[in-house]
Amino acid sequence: MRVSTRFSDAIHLLAYLKIYANTKLTSDAIAASIETSPVVVRRLMGKLRQAGLITTTAGTANPELAKPLGEISLLRVFYAVEGDKPLFAVDPKTNPACIVGGNIQTVLKQYYQDAQTAAEARLARTTLQDIVDNILVEQAKKDAQA
Amino acid sequence: MRVSTRFSDAIHLLAYLKIYANTKLTSDAIAASIETSPVVVRRLMGKLRQAGLITTTAGTANPELAKPLGEISLLRVFYAVEGDKPLFAVDPKTNPACIVGGNIQTVLKQYYQDAQTAAEARLARTTLQDIVDNILVEQAKKDAQA
DNA sequence: CTCCTTGTAACATTAATAATTACAGCTATT
DNA sequence: AATAGCTGTAATTATTAATGTTACAAGGAG
């Protein structure tokens, strides 16, 4: 499969809304930053809107963050665009007549869930404010070198 | 893309080698349990062999575990079949001329790595012996009901 | 020597993602 | 109220990682 960059692109989008708040925030402008198509951006914004992270206005380029970046964790964004998609996939089609095939799904699901929860706990610790802060620091480093 | 079940299938395979050790372990038999093709099984075994987890003999159906199951963690298996593939994908193609697009990869990589490490730490804690034990318990539950 | 098997390469299929095209409908501006 | 520019969304196509299939050379057991 193609690897999904929805999560990364959603974070990108939200950071963009903050850092370029004083510009015209059309899906075209955002798409140019992510290097994707405006439609993809609007679809992403649709998910973020449904999740209550931003507000948008049909017909007008005016997406706005629904809450302070410090109150939006990476985990919240992940759920918004990826749903509860598991990080580790259980093979759903194994032979039920076999001791292994008949029970492994139940067993693996538990351990996979533990691992995923550990990762999610990490994502829950970081907010979009942290991301924006770090982006600005990285940019400042570059500016200092120039 | 299609979701990878290599990790789950590899665990399945290794558990099968143990639980059905006293049967003829052809790639055909194993494939019937995983419900995949023998070629896929042989490919998986190739990776596990390269990782030093099993030994095989060309021409003969005799795959063997290279070490006790209690010494093989899920993480070891994960690396064997998935390499160091990141759980969260950074979008590699963003606009470098943009403050966000030019720096977000560096920033996200760090946080993603933290989350992945947390998940991997969990996988490192569990061994294939745990998996086999749990499979047998699940099976015993079923047998008790019958 | 024959049969079964592994190890691999080459090719086909599947499925998730992203990109593209199209268009209805909203909003601000004039 | 006409226009221009935008959003929201559906429908279609393209891309690509993963899995499945076919084919076959070569190893091992009887």
Side-chain angles (χ1 to χ4, degrees), chain A residues 17-69:
Chain A
L17 293 189
K18 179 71 174 186
I19 292 176
Y20 288 96
N22 62 334
T23 67
K24 202 176 176 193
L25 297 168
T26 63
S27 56
D28 252 310
I30 300 169
S33 173
I34 303 183
E35 289 194 358
T36 181
S37 86
V39 177
V40 169
V41 170
R42 294 201 290 271
R43 277 200 292 243
L44 264 181
M45 289 205 290
K47 298 222 179 211
L48 296 172
R49 174 163 27 81
Q50 282 172 20
L53 301 184
I54 64 173
T55 57
T56 63
T57 316
T60 306
N62 189 34
E64 289 187 324
L65 292 161
K67 33 182 149 181
L69 286 188

Short mmCIF file of all heavy atoms in Angstrom, two decimals, chain A residues 17-69:
data_model
loop_
_atom_site.label_atom_id
_atom_site.label_comp_id
_atom_site.label_asym_id
_atom_site.label_seq_id
_atom_site.Cartn_x
_atom_site.Cartn_y
_atom_site.Cartn_z
N LEU A 17 -2.12 26.99 9.76
CA LEU A 17 -3.19 27.93 10.13
C LEU A 17 -2.70 28.92 11.19
O LEU A 17 -3.05 30.10 11.16
CB LEU A 17 -4.41 27.18 10.69
CG LEU A 17 -5.19 26.28 9.73
CD1 LEU A 17 -6.48 25.82 10.38
CD2 LEU A 17 -5.49 27.02 8.42
N LYS A 18 -1.88 28.42 12.09
CA LYS A 18 -1.37 29.28 13.16
C LYS A 18 -0.28 30.21 12.65
O LYS A 18 -0.35 31.44 12.80
CB LYS A 18 -0.80 28.40 14.28
CG LYS A 18 -0.21 29.16 15.44
CD LYS A 18 -1.31 29.82 16.25
CE LYS A 18 -0.74 30.47 17.53
NZ LYS A 18 -1.84 30.97 18.38
N ILE A 19 0.72 29.63 12.00
CA ILE A 19 1.89 30.41 11.60
C ILE A 19 1.57 31.40 10.49
O ILE A 19 2.14 32.49 10.44
CB ILE A 19 3.04 29.45 11.19
CG1 ILE A 19 3.54 28.71 12.43
CG2 ILE A 19 4.17 30.21 10.52
CD1 ILE A 19 4.60 27.65 12.18
N TYR A 20 0.64 31.05 9.63
CA TYR A 20 0.27 31.96 8.55
C TYR A 20 -1.13 32.55 8.75
O TYR A 20 -1.84 32.83 7.78
CB TYR A 20 0.37 31.24 7.20
CG TYR A 20 1.80 31.00 6.79
CD1 TYR A 20 2.43 29.78 7.04
CD2 TYR A 20 2.54 32.01 6.17
CE1 TYR A 20 3.75 29.57 6.68
CE2 TYR A 20 3.86 31.80 5.80
CZ TYR A 20 4.46 30.58 6.06
OH TYR A 20 5.77 30.37 5.70
N ALA A 21 -1.49 32.75 10.00
CA ALA A 21 -2.83 33.23 10.34
C ALA A 21 -3.16 34.57 9.68
O ALA A 21 -4.32 34.86 9.39
CB ALA A 21 -2.99 33.32 11.86
N ASN A 22 -2.14 35.37 9.45
CA ASN A 22 -2.38 36.71 8.88
C ASN A 22 -2.35 36.73 7.35
O ASN A 22 -2.22 37.78 6.75
CB ASN A 22 -1.35 37.70 9.43
CG ASN A 22 0.06 37.29 9.04
OD1 ASN A 22 0.31 36.10 8.80
ND2 ASN A 22 0.96 38.24 8.97
N THR A 23 -2.45 35.57 6.73
CA THR A 23 -2.50 35.51 5.27
C THR A 23 -3.85 34.95 4.85
O THR A 23 -4.65 34.54 5.69
CB THR A 23 -1.38 34.60 4.69
OG1 THR A 23 -1.65 33.24 5.08
CG2 THR A 23 -0.02 35.01 5.22
N LYS A 24 -4.06 34.89 3.55
CA LYS A 24 -5.32 34.35 3.04
C LYS A 24 -5.24 32.83 3.03
O LYS A 24 -4.47 32.25 2.25
CB LYS A 24 -5.56 34.89 1.63
CG LYS A 24 -7.01 34.83 1.21
CD LYS A 24 -7.19 35.48 -0.16
CE LYS A 24 -8.64 35.35 -0.63
NZ LYS A 24 -8.75 35.68 -2.07
N LEU A 25 -6.02 32.20 3.87
CA LEU A 25 -5.88 30.76 4.06
C LEU A 25 -6.78 29.95 3.14
O LEU A 25 -7.67 29.21 3.58
CB LEU A 25 -6.16 30.41 5.53
CG LEU A 25 -5.17 31.04 6.53
CD1 LEU A 25 -5.66 30.90 7.95
CD2 LEU A 25 -3.79 30.43 6.35
N THR A 26 -6.53 30.05 1.84
CA THR A 26 -7.30 29.23 0.89
C THR A 26 -6.74 27.82 0.86
O THR A 26 -5.59 27.58 1.25
CB THR A 26 -7.19 29.81 -0.54
OG1 THR A 26 -5.82 29.73 -0.94
CG2 THR A 26 -7.64 31.26 -0.58
N SER A 27 -7.56 26.90 0.40
CA SER A 27 -7.08 25.52 0.31
C SER A 27 -5.94 25.45 -0.71
O SER A 27 -5.09 24.58 -0.63
CB SER A 27 -8.22 24.58 -0.08
OG SER A 27 -8.84 24.99 -1.27
N ASP A 28 -5.93 26.38 -1.63
CA ASP A 28 -4.85 26.43 -2.61
C ASP A 28 -3.52 26.79 -1.97
O ASP A 28 -2.48 26.16 -2.24
CB ASP A 28 -5.18 27.49 -3.69
CG ASP A 28 -5.54 26.84 -5.01
OD1 ASP A 28 -4.77 25.97 -5.47
OD2 ASP A 28 -6.60 27.16 -5.55
N ALA A 29 -3.54 27.80 -1.12
CA ALA A 29 -2.31 28.24 -0.46
C ALA A 29 -1.78 27.13 0.44
O ALA A 29 -0.58 26.83 0.45
CB ALA A 29 -2.58 29.50 0.36
N ILE A 30 -2.68 26.50 1.19
CA ILE A 30 -2.26 25.42 2.10
C ILE A 30 -1.71 24.25 1.29
O ILE A 30 -0.70 23.65 1.64
CB ILE A 30 -3.44 24.98 2.98
CG1 ILE A 30 -3.95 26.17 3.81
CG2 ILE A 30 -3.03 23.83 3.88
CD1 ILE A 30 -5.27 25.91 4.52
N ALA A 31 -2.39 23.95 0.18
CA ALA A 31 -1.95 22.84 -0.67
C ALA A 31 -0.54 23.09 -1.20
O ALA A 31 0.25 22.17 -1.34
CB ALA A 31 -2.93 22.64 -1.82
N ALA A 32 -0.23 24.34 -1.48
CA ALA A 32 1.10 24.66 -2.00
C ALA A 32 2.17 24.36 -0.95
O ALA A 32 3.28 23.96 -1.28
CB ALA A 32 1.15 26.13 -2.41
N SER A 33 1.83 24.54 0.31
CA SER A 33 2.79 24.28 1.38
C SER A 33 2.99 22.78 1.60
O SER A 33 4.10 22.30 1.78
CB SER A 33 2.32 24.94 2.68
OG SER A 33 3.15 24.56 3.76
N ILE A 34 1.88 22.04 1.56
CA ILE A 34 1.95 20.59 1.77
C ILE A 34 2.40 19.90 0.49
O ILE A 34 2.81 18.74 0.51
CB ILE A 34 0.57 20.05 2.23
CG1 ILE A 34 0.10 20.77 3.51
CG2 ILE A 34 0.63 18.56 2.49
CD1 ILE A 34 -1.20 20.25 4.09
N GLU A 35 2.32 20.61 -0.61
CA GLU A 35 2.57 20.03 -1.94
C GLU A 35 1.62 18.89 -2.23
O GLU A 35 2.01 17.75 -2.47
CB GLU A 35 4.04 19.60 -2.10
CG GLU A 35 4.96 20.81 -2.20
CD GLU A 35 6.36 20.48 -2.69
OE1 GLU A 35 6.65 19.30 -2.94
OE2 GLU A 35 7.18 21.42 -2.84
N THR A 36 0.36 19.24 -2.18
CA THR A 36 -0.69 18.29 -2.55
C THR A 36 -1.75 19.10 -3.28
O THR A 36 -1.51 20.23 -3.68
CB THR A 36 -1.26 17.59 -1.31
OG1 THR A 36 -2.25 16.66 -1.70
CG2 THR A 36 -1.88 18.60 -0.35
N SER A 37 -2.90 18.52 -3.49
CA SER A 37 -3.95 19.24 -4.22
C SER A 37 -4.91 19.92 -3.24
O SER A 37 -5.08 19.46 -2.12
CB SER A 37 -4.72 18.29 -5.12
OG SER A 37 -5.75 17.67 -4.41
N PRO A 38 -5.54 20.99 -3.69
CA PRO A 38 -6.49 21.70 -2.84
C PRO A 38 -7.62 20.79 -2.35
O PRO A 38 -8.12 20.97 -1.23
CB PRO A 38 -7.04 22.79 -3.76
CG PRO A 38 -6.04 22.95 -4.82
CD PRO A 38 -5.36 21.63 -4.99
N VAL A 39 -8.00 19.85 -3.18
CA VAL A 39 -9.10 18.95 -2.78
C VAL A 39 -8.69 18.12 -1.58
O VAL A 39 -9.48 17.92 -0.65
CB VAL A 39 -9.51 18.04 -3.95
CG1 VAL A 39 -10.59 17.08 -3.50
CG2 VAL A 39 -10.00 18.88 -5.11
N VAL A 40 -7.48 17.64 -1.60
CA VAL A 40 -6.99 16.85 -0.47
C VAL A 40 -7.01 17.70 0.80
O VAL A 40 -7.40 17.24 1.87
CB VAL A 40 -5.56 16.34 -0.77
CG1 VAL A 40 -4.93 15.74 0.47
CG2 VAL A 40 -5.60 15.32 -1.89
N VAL A 41 -6.62 18.95 0.66
CA VAL A 41 -6.63 19.85 1.81
C VAL A 41 -8.06 20.05 2.33
O VAL A 41 -8.31 19.98 3.54
CB VAL A 41 -6.02 21.22 1.44
CG1 VAL A 41 -6.25 22.24 2.55
CG2 VAL A 41 -4.54 21.07 1.15
N ARG A 42 -8.98 20.23 1.43
CA ARG A 42 -10.36 20.45 1.88
C ARG A 42 -10.94 19.20 2.53
O ARG A 42 -11.70 19.28 3.50
CB ARG A 42 -11.23 20.89 0.69
CG ARG A 42 -10.82 22.26 0.14
CD ARG A 42 -11.93 22.92 -0.65
NE ARG A 42 -12.21 22.29 -1.92
CZ ARG A 42 -11.61 22.60 -3.08
NH1 ARG A 42 -10.67 23.52 -3.10
NH2 ARG A 42 -11.94 22.00 -4.19
N ARG A 43 -10.53 18.06 2.02
CA ARG A 43 -10.99 16.81 2.65
C ARG A 43 -10.43 16.68 4.06
O ARG A 43 -11.13 16.29 5.00
CB ARG A 43 -10.57 15.60 1.81
CG ARG A 43 -11.54 15.31 0.67
CD ARG A 43 -11.39 13.89 0.17
NE ARG A 43 -10.11 13.67 -0.50
CZ ARG A 43 -9.98 13.33 -1.79
NH1 ARG A 43 -11.04 13.17 -2.54
NH2 ARG A 43 -8.80 13.14 -2.32
N LEU A 44 -9.16 17.01 4.19
CA LEU A 44 -8.54 16.97 5.51
C LEU A 44 -9.25 17.93 6.45
O LEU A 44 -9.55 17.57 7.60
CB LEU A 44 -7.06 17.38 5.40
CG LEU A 44 -6.01 16.28 5.28
CD1 LEU A 44 -4.63 16.90 5.22
CD2 LEU A 44 -6.11 15.30 6.44
N MET A 45 -9.51 19.13 5.96
CA MET A 45 -10.18 20.12 6.80
C MET A 45 -11.57 19.62 7.20
O MET A 45 -12.04 19.88 8.30
CB MET A 45 -10.26 21.46 6.08
CG MET A 45 -8.89 22.13 5.97
SD MET A 45 -8.95 23.91 5.79
CE MET A 45 -9.62 24.07 4.15
N GLY A 46 -12.20 18.88 6.31
CA GLY A 46 -13.50 18.30 6.63
C GLY A 46 -13.42 17.40 7.85
O GLY A 46 -14.24 17.50 8.77
N LYS A 47 -12.40 16.57 7.89
CA LYS A 47 -12.24 15.66 9.03
C LYS A 47 -11.93 16.43 10.30
O LYS A 47 -12.43 16.10 11.38
CB LYS A 47 -11.10 14.66 8.75
CG LYS A 47 -11.37 13.77 7.57
CD LYS A 47 -10.96 12.34 7.86
CE LYS A 47 -11.25 11.43 6.68
NZ LYS A 47 -11.57 10.06 7.09
N LEU A 48 -11.08 17.45 10.17
CA LEU A 48 -10.70 18.23 11.34
C LEU A 48 -11.90 19.03 11.87
O LEU A 48 -12.04 19.24 13.07
CB LEU A 48 -9.54 19.16 10.99
CG LEU A 48 -8.25 18.44 10.60
CD1 LEU A 48 -7.20 19.42 10.09
CD2 LEU A 48 -7.68 17.64 11.78
N ARG A 49 -12.75 19.45 10.95
CA ARG A 49 -13.96 20.16 11.35
C ARG A 49 -14.91 19.22 12.09
O ARG A 49 -15.42 19.54 13.17
CB ARG A 49 -14.65 20.74 10.11
CG ARG A 49 -16.00 21.38 10.39
CD ARG A 49 -16.46 22.27 9.27
NE ARG A 49 -15.93 21.89 7.97
CZ ARG A 49 -16.42 20.93 7.19
NH1 ARG A 49 -17.48 20.25 7.57
NH2 ARG A 49 -15.86 20.66 6.03
N GLN A 50 -15.10 18.04 11.53
CA GLN A 50 -15.96 17.05 12.18
C GLN A 50 -15.48 16.72 13.59
O GLN A 50 -16.27 16.45 14.49
CB GLN A 50 -16.00 15.75 11.37
CG GLN A 50 -16.90 15.80 10.16
CD GLN A 50 -16.75 14.56 9.28
OE1 GLN A 50 -16.27 13.53 9.74
NE2 GLN A 50 -17.14 14.67 8.01
N ALA A 51 -14.16 16.75 13.75
CA ALA A 51 -13.58 16.43 15.06
C ALA A 51 -13.60 17.63 16.00
O ALA A 51 -13.17 17.55 17.15
CB ALA A 51 -12.15 15.93 14.88
N GLY A 52 -14.09 18.76 15.49
CA GLY A 52 -14.19 19.95 16.35
C GLY A 52 -12.88 20.68 16.58
O GLY A 52 -12.75 21.45 17.52
N LEU A 53 -11.91 20.44 15.71
CA LEU A 53 -10.61 21.09 15.90
C LEU A 53 -10.51 22.43 15.18
O LEU A 53 -9.75 23.30 15.59
CB LEU A 53 -9.48 20.16 15.44
CG LEU A 53 -9.42 18.80 16.15
CD1 LEU A 53 -8.22 18.00 15.68
CD2 LEU A 53 -9.36 18.99 17.66
N ILE A 54 -11.28 22.58 14.11
CA ILE A 54 -11.30 23.85 13.39
C ILE A 54 -12.73 24.20 13.01
O ILE A 54 -13.63 23.35 13.10
CB ILE A 54 -10.44 23.81 12.10
CG1 ILE A 54 -11.04 22.79 11.10
CG2 ILE A 54 -9.01 23.46 12.39
CD1 ILE A 54 -10.37 22.80 9.73
N THR A 55 -12.92 25.44 12.61
CA THR A 55 -14.20 25.83 12.01
C THR A 55 -13.89 26.35 10.61
O THR A 55 -12.79 26.88 10.38
CB THR A 55 -14.88 26.95 12.80
OG1 THR A 55 -13.99 28.06 12.89
CG2 THR A 55 -15.25 26.48 14.20
N THR A 56 -14.82 26.15 9.70
CA THR A 56 -14.62 26.65 8.34
C THR A 56 -15.92 27.31 7.88
O THR A 56 -16.97 27.11 8.49
CB THR A 56 -14.26 25.52 7.36
OG1 THR A 56 -15.37 24.61 7.31
CG2 THR A 56 -13.02 24.79 7.78
N THR A 57 -15.84 28.07 6.81
CA THR A 57 -17.02 28.70 6.24
C THR A 57 -17.10 28.33 4.77
O THR A 57 -16.15 28.59 4.02
CB THR A 57 -16.91 30.24 6.36
OG1 THR A 57 -16.44 30.57 7.66
CG2 THR A 57 -18.25 30.89 6.12
N ALA A 58 -18.21 27.74 4.38
CA ALA A 58 -18.38 27.38 2.97
C ALA A 58 -18.38 28.64 2.13
O ALA A 58 -19.08 29.60 2.44
CB ALA A 58 -19.69 26.61 2.78
N GLY A 59 -17.58 28.64 1.10
CA GLY A 59 -17.56 29.78 0.20
C GLY A 59 -16.52 30.83 0.53
O GLY A 59 -16.18 31.66 -0.30
N THR A 60 -15.99 30.78 1.76
CA THR A 60 -15.00 31.78 2.15
C THR A 60 -13.76 31.12 2.72
O THR A 60 -13.85 30.15 3.47
CB THR A 60 -15.60 32.71 3.24
OG1 THR A 60 -16.82 33.24 2.77
CG2 THR A 60 -14.63 33.83 3.57
N ALA A 61 -12.63 31.66 2.36
CA ALA A 61 -11.37 31.11 2.86
C ALA A 61 -11.11 31.65 4.26
O ALA A 61 -10.41 32.64 4.42
CB ALA A 61 -10.24 31.48 1.91
N ASN A 62 -11.67 30.98 5.24
CA ASN A 62 -11.47 31.46 6.60
C ASN A 62 -11.49 30.35 7.64
O ASN A 62 -12.25 30.38 8.60
CB ASN A 62 -12.55 32.51 6.94
CG ASN A 62 -12.25 33.20 8.25
OD1 ASN A 62 -11.09 33.42 8.60
ND2 ASN A 62 -13.28 33.52 9.01
N PRO A 63 -10.61 29.36 7.46
CA PRO A 63 -10.54 28.30 8.47
C PRO A 63 -9.95 28.86 9.74
O PRO A 63 -9.03 29.69 9.70
CB PRO A 63 -9.60 27.27 7.82
CG PRO A 63 -8.76 28.07 6.88
CD PRO A 63 -9.65 29.17 6.38
N GLU A 64 -10.49 28.43 10.88
CA GLU A 64 -9.96 28.92 12.17
C GLU A 64 -9.83 27.77 13.15
O GLU A 64 -10.65 26.85 13.18
CB GLU A 64 -10.90 29.98 12.74
CG GLU A 64 -10.87 31.29 11.98
CD GLU A 64 -11.68 32.36 12.68
OE1 GLU A 64 -12.73 32.03 13.26
OE2 GLU A 64 -11.25 33.53 12.64
N LEU A 65 -8.81 27.85 13.95
CA LEU A 65 -8.61 26.86 15.00
C LEU A 65 -9.73 27.01 16.02
O LEU A 65 -10.06 28.11 16.45
CB LEU A 65 -7.25 27.08 15.67
CG LEU A 65 -6.05 26.78 14.77
CD1 LEU A 65 -4.79 27.43 15.28
CD2 LEU A 65 -5.87 25.27 14.67
N ALA A 66 -10.32 25.89 16.41
CA ALA A 66 -11.46 25.94 17.33
C ALA A 66 -11.01 26.08 18.78
O ALA A 66 -11.80 26.44 19.65
CB ALA A 66 -12.32 24.69 17.16
N LYS A 67 -9.73 25.77 19.04
CA LYS A 67 -9.21 25.96 20.39
C LYS A 67 -7.73 26.25 20.34
O LYS A 67 -7.10 26.06 19.29
CB LYS A 67 -9.50 24.76 21.29
CG LYS A 67 -9.52 23.41 20.64
CD LYS A 67 -9.86 22.36 21.68
CE LYS A 67 -10.60 21.17 21.14
NZ LYS A 67 -10.94 20.18 22.17
N PRO A 68 -7.17 26.69 21.46
CA PRO A 68 -5.74 26.99 21.49
C PRO A 68 -4.92 25.76 21.13
O PRO A 68 -5.31 24.64 21.50
CB PRO A 68 -5.49 27.38 22.95
CG PRO A 68 -6.82 27.76 23.50
CD PRO A 68 -7.83 26.95 22.75
N LEU A 69 -3.82 25.96 20.42
CA LEU A 69 -2.98 24.83 20.01
C LEU A 69 -2.49 24.02 21.20
O LEU A 69 -2.28 22.83 21.10
CB LEU A 69 -1.78 25.35 19.21
CG LEU A 69 -2.08 25.81 17.79
CD1 LEU A 69 -0.79 26.11 17.05
CD2 LEU A 69 -2.88 24.76 17.03
#
